[in-house]
Amino acid sequence: MDTFEIDGPVRLSGTIDVAGSKNATLPIMAGALLAGGQTIIENAPNLADIAGFETILQSLGVPTQRSGGNLAIDATKIENPVGEYDLVRKMRASICILGPLLARCGQVKVSMPGGCAIGDRPVDIHLRGLKELGAQIHLENGYIVATVPPGGLRGKQIFLGGPFGSTVLGTDNVMMAACLAKGTTVIESAACEPEVADLANFLNAMGAKIKGIGSPRLTIEGVKELKPIRYKVIGDRIEAGTFMVAAAITGGSLYVRHCSLNDMVAITDRLNHIGVDVEETPDGCFVNRSGPIRPADITTQPYPGFPTDLQAQFMTLLALANGNSVITEKIYPDRFMHVAELNRMGAGLRKEGPSVFIPGTDKLVAAPVMASDLRASAALVLAGMAAHGKTIINRVYHIDRGYEKIEEKLNAVGAKIYRKQI
Ligand code: EPU
């Protein structure tokens, strides 16, 4: 098992490249199942989660092949439309094979995902949406078994809102199934995340007819079939946001390349408030902090609100602010595994329900800490670069799920992060 040893504090400066978006690539890989033939995804990040999803596709009888940034998926035949428990339990995103396999194969069996480090993550809205299209669904030995009715899936108006707002992968699942349904589907309260828009653009390039992309109302006119294509995924706004915080927390200056600030307005708004300069360029942004870190209040929300996937990283930044901040988590109220670890480094955080009070300190101190999930691990790497002394992060496999060679990228701009095998 790998660990990171991080010497701090450091000041970052230079150019850092953002990889393709993990959360756009995963559903697009599932979307490739809708077309018989070989689809090529360009700019696919080289991550443990992408490799895991390839294993799932291969278990369906769908060969995949990586060559540099290109990922080829040959869905000419789908031999076994079953998402096995052993594979699905390792990665919740695998639930997004449900919609495309149902539409393409007429029947599908996918293991019901279990619990997760960031909290309870139900899939009831996915199932409700697919049932609205006419799918017959039941649970059998821990598996979701879904079948297309004799007349086929039929489009209709569907409300996909839930207790925490819209659902990203739920919207993806229903949108993908609706592409091959008869008639028109209207998804109300659709997720508006740029990754959902990227999937919709991918599907349209395959021949789907989706309108309202990026809005909470998606209109999908069903078509008979989709064709395989080449498609380049968008840059990863969460990796970009993590690097922006890295520049900010180290009092550094970074050119964060290959991302779109247009998708990150809530993030730049909070950074500006905190005292961080962000200057847009055609292919990314310059990020620089020279003054103090000012306190801020942040509430996570569905897009275009502040993303839950950057909550932990901003908490680390605000731990070093010159005043009190509050972060409230409105998507995953239990996504606070990093709080106790940051407190081991002197952050003095106090959690009350879905909110964390951040008193602000002038110094974090290095300590051995434990990575618990992907974004919490990123927050600890940021803390390690700002803290005084040697921070040791255990279980860094969490970070390899979603950040491509993070230590190499950060070391190239001035960090001192050493990967050790224990
Ligand atoms: N929800 C329900 N019922 C459902 C589906 C969701 O109640 O059927 C609730 C969830 O429990 C949560 C909220 O709705 O409270 C939003 O969840 P959503 O379905 O949008 O999450 P997701 O689609 O499973 C994706 C990302 C997550 C990201 C969330 C929120 C991928 C592969 N995953 O998950 O990314 O946090 O959207 O933006 O796209 C990460 O990358 O670290 C990560 C966890």
Side-chain angles (χ1 to χ4, degrees):
M1 213 187 287
D2 289 2
T3 63
F4 278 165
E5 282 186 19
I6 306 180
D7 287 333
V10 293
R11 181 184 175 277
L12 302 186
S13 94
T15 300
I16 194 157
D17 286 334
V18 175
S21 161
K22 166 180 87 73
N23 288 350
T25 304
L26 292 169
I28 286 175
M29 289 171 76
L33 296 171
L34 285 164
Q38 178 168 274
T39 285
I40 295 178
I41 304 173
E42 297 175 14
N43 200 30
N46 209 341
L47 299 170
D49 265 11
I50 302 295
F53 208 88
E54 279 187 68
T55 309
I56 290 172
L57 295 184
Q58 287 158 6
S59 76
L60 307 173
V62 171
T64 67
Q65 198 177 8
R66 179 176 273 281
S67 151
N70 289 351
L71 179 61
I73 297 171
D74 186 349
T76 305
K77 279 189 298 192
I78 296 173
E79 281 163 6
N80 177 39
V82 179
E84 300 285 356
Y85 174 62
D86 268 352
L87 298 174
V88 172
R89 77 181 166 81
K90 291 184 190 144
M91 198 184 4
R92 294 190 49 89
S94 38
I95 190 68
C96 64
I97 60 176
L98 188 61
L101 285 180
L102 177 70
R104 171 98 188 269
C105 306
Q107 65 170 50
V108 52
K109 224 173 118 176
V110 179
S111 172
M112 185 82 166
C116 165
I118 65 177
D120 197 16
R121 295 175 71 185
V123 293
D124 55 314
I125 306 171
H126 301 230
L127 304 187
R128 197 176 78 206
L130 294 173
K131 278 184 189 161
E132 294 269 12
L133 292 176
Q136 291 157 353
I137 300 182
H138 67 277
L139 271 182
E140 201 177 281
N141 292 331
Y143 279 79
I144 301 160
V145 182
T147 321
V148 164
L153 297 175
R154 286 192 185 274
K156 66 181 288 202
Q157 191 169 31
I158 300 173
F159 177 69
L160 275 195
F164 298 94
S166 51
T167 156
V168 171
L169 294 177
T171 302
D172 290 347
N173 252 330
V174 177
M175 175 168 69
M176 286 192 274
C179 285
L180 295 182
K182 293 198 178 88
T184 303
T185 301
V186 179
I187 303 180
E188 305 283 3
S189 197
C192 304
E193 271 70 4
E195 295 77 18
V196 179
D198 207 31
L199 172 66
N201 287 327
F202 165 76
L203 295 168
N204 274 356
M206 292 173 105
K209 293 190 174 161
I210 305 170
K211 288 195 186 133
I213 295 175
S215 83
R217 175 183 286 165
L218 291 171
T219 304
I220 305 144
E221 206 184 304
V223 296
K224 279 218 156 53
E225 62 172 14
L226 297 176
K227 56 181 191 310
I229 53 160
R230 277 184 94 93
Y231 186 83
K232 183 175 177 189
V233 295
I234 55 171
D236 195 312
R237 68 191 166 104
I238 304 302
E239 188 192 25
T242 305
F243 293 154
M244 290 160 88
V245 174
I249 201 166
T250 63
S253 163
L254 285 180
Y255 175 25
V256 183
R257 208 160 51 170
H258 308 321
C259 61
S260 164
L261 270 199
N262 196 37
D263 294 340
M264 302 174 68
V265 177
I267 300 162
T268 45
D269 171 76
R270 289 298 79 190
L271 284 171
N272 289 155
H273 185 90
I274 290 166
V276 182
D277 295 326
V278 181
E279 189 194 323
E280 187 165 13
T281 69
D283 191 24
C285 56
F286 285 104
V287 186
N288 168 61
R289 178 180 68 82
S290 45
I293 299 174
R294 292 199 293 259
D297 289 347
I298 295 178
T299 300
T300 65
Q301 284 170 330
Y303 188 85
F306 188 90
T308 172
D309 291 343
L310 282 171
Q311 179 255 108
Q313 298 89 319
F314 270 72
M315 192 175 296
T316 308
L317 177 60
L318 291 173
L320 287 166
N322 61 359
N324 302 333
S325 305
V326 176
I327 291 187
T328 302
E329 176 55 70
K330 288 262 176 98
I331 307 290
Y332 297 115
D334 296 324
R335 193 179 201 176
F336 288 124
M337 303 281 278
H338 43 285
V339 167
E341 302 304 306
L342 289 173
N343 279 346
R344 287 177 54 73
M345 301 178 75
L349 311 173
R350 187 162 50 83
K351 181 177 164 320
E352 275 190 28
S355 296
V356 174
F357 172 74
I358 307 161
T361 175
D362 54 5
K363 192 174 164 190
L364 288 174
V365 286
V369 286
M370 189 82 82
S372 54
D373 78 77
L374 169 56
R375 308 303 173 187
S377 331
L380 296 177
V381 170
L382 294 167
M385 289 192 296
H388 292 252
K390 190 184 286 297
T391 295
I392 297 171
I393 305 181
N394 291 303
R395 299 193 183 170
V396 299
Y397 58 84
H398 286 292
I399 206 163
D400 294 331
R401 296 184 63 164
Y403 291 87
E404 198 179 275
K405 300 187 186 125
I406 192 166
E407 76 279 24
E408 289 180 24
K409 286 189 182 184
L410 291 170
N411 287 348
V413 291
K416 293 177 186 160
I417 306 174
Y418 311 99
R419 186 183 285 265
K420 301 262 162 86
Q421 276 188 333
I422 52 163

